Amino acid sequence: MTTTNGNAATADFITVGKGGEARRIAVALEAPAAGNALAHFVWLGGYRSDMSGTKAVELAALATRLGTGCVRFDYSGHGASGGAFVDGTISRWLEEALAVIGHAAETLGSRRLVLVGSSMGGWIALRAVAALAARRDIEVAGLVLIAPAPDFTSELIEPNLTEAERTALAERGQFEEPTPYGPEPNIYTLKLIEDGRRNRVLDGVIETGCPVHILQGMADPDVPYAHAVRLMEHLSGDDVVLTMIRDGDHRLSRPQDIAKILDAAEVLARGD
């Protein structure tokens, strides 16, 4: 057990999947203070990010200040978790998110949750809230979606594929693309793209049953702010706040951006 910001944070592994599909998923749990009734936070990271990133750590620190719980984890093929990155799909990472949430419910008593999803994590959050609606023992009290990228494989990747990338997908099952966020290129697999089509959420009305706060940078080079506007239109039955940050990029990791994210998370955790 390690101690983070004064709360007990258990660094642990759970196994998700069976047989050849089994993978070890790294989980960090921040325990709530005794008697604290605020909703717990669940961090859902982006594509190729992990739970040690700035926003995830700041969310855990907020949980400590509020005395509430926080759940962070790494998808398979990310961070400290096992599994190969190229085996990853939205369905696979969603399965892991739901398993971690179930683990937190049993370990921390995390029954009321605010899901905080960044980029691809916003897509996972939207799929997770639909799956959790079938569980009577867990309530999603709100969603914070940071530069959300629902359906990014079919909406943002596929329409912009070059002939060389299409050929690589057909012949090798994947293609690589340079990224400004690290030395290693992004890898997009045919498996990910095909699975993305099966997990689309922008085909009709999205019903989350909870308040939603979207934060989007207008200078985001990866997810155009029009994508956030379109998502808001699909959330027509929910209480939705959309915060546009004029000079914000995709990461939204500057102190002023993080302050907005944490404010939104706290409001939803308190139920204000």
Side-chain angles (χ1 to χ4, degrees):
M1 179 177 291
T2 59
T3 301
T4 303
N5 298 316
N7 268 12
T10 57
D12 202 359
F13 288 87
I14 65 171
T15 299
V16 179
K18 297 180 179 179
E21 291 297 311
R23 56 270 190 205
R24 295 178 77 234
I25 302 301
V27 182
L29 304 179
E30 302 278 346
N36 190 293
L38 297 183
H40 295 186
F41 299 124
V42 177
W43 174 255
L44 298 166
Y47 194 72
R48 292 191 65 191
S49 68
D50 59 52
M51 62 178 166
S52 64
T54 302
K55 293 189 292 293
V57 171
E58 290 287 351
L59 184 69
L62 172 65
T64 296
R65 294 194 295 274
L66 297 178
T68 192
C70 186
V71 182
R72 293 177 292 148
F73 72 101
D74 289 333
Y75 306 117
S76 57
H78 293 67
S81 288
F85 178 80
V86 293
D87 290 334
T89 62
I90 300 302
S91 294
R92 187 178 177 90
W93 294 326
L94 172 62
E95 178 188 16
E96 293 157 8
L98 294 173
V100 168
I101 289 170
H103 175 69
E106 297 302 320
T107 304
L108 297 184
S110 300
R111 305 296 176 179
R112 289 184 63 245
L113 309 173
V114 173
L115 306 184
V116 183
S118 177
S119 191
M120 182 188 76
W123 189 0
I124 300 291
L126 292 167
R127 294 287 289 113
V129 74
L132 290 170
R135 291 188 60 151
R136 296 183 180 275
D137 60 333
I138 293 178
E139 173 193 354
V140 178
L143 300 180
V144 178
L145 307 178
I146 307 160
D151 301 358
F152 78 88
T153 51
S154 58
E155 295 289 329
L156 304 177
I157 300 297
E158 286 193 80
N160 297 307
L161 290 174
T162 66
E163 284 303 314
E165 289 166 344
R166 293 182 188 278
T167 299
L169 282 173
E171 295 181 351
R172 298 192 291 116
Q174 67 182 56
F175 73 92
E176 296 77 35
E177 179 181 80
T179 172
Y181 305 121
E184 299 298 323
N186 280 334
I187 299 174
Y188 298 105
T189 66
L190 181 61
K191 182 188 302 185
L192 173 69
I193 290 172
E194 291 178 340
D195 181 76
R197 296 178 195 139
R198 293 188 288 271
N199 280 280
R200 285 182 56 85
V201 295
L202 297 177
D203 288 335
V205 175
I206 302 171
E207 297 181 356
T208 68
C210 65
V212 181
H213 194 142
I214 302 170
L215 299 102
Q216 175 68 46
M218 295 183 73
D220 186 337
D222 301 307
V223 179
Y225 66 84
H227 199 68
V229 174
R230 182 179 174 197
L231 171 59
M232 186 176 184
E233 292 169 348
H234 283 269
L235 291 163
S236 57
D238 292 323
D239 176 10
V240 183
V241 173
L242 172 59
T243 298
M244 288 288 192
I245 302 171
R246 184 178 298 278
D247 60 345
D249 61 9
H250 185 61
R251 287 188 168 185
L252 293 181
S253 291
R254 301 171 304 176
Q256 63 267 37
D257 302 329
I258 290 175
K260 291 181 174 68
I261 293 167
L262 299 185
D263 285 346
E266 181 173 351
V267 166
L268 293 179
R270 292 185 182 280
D272 294 344

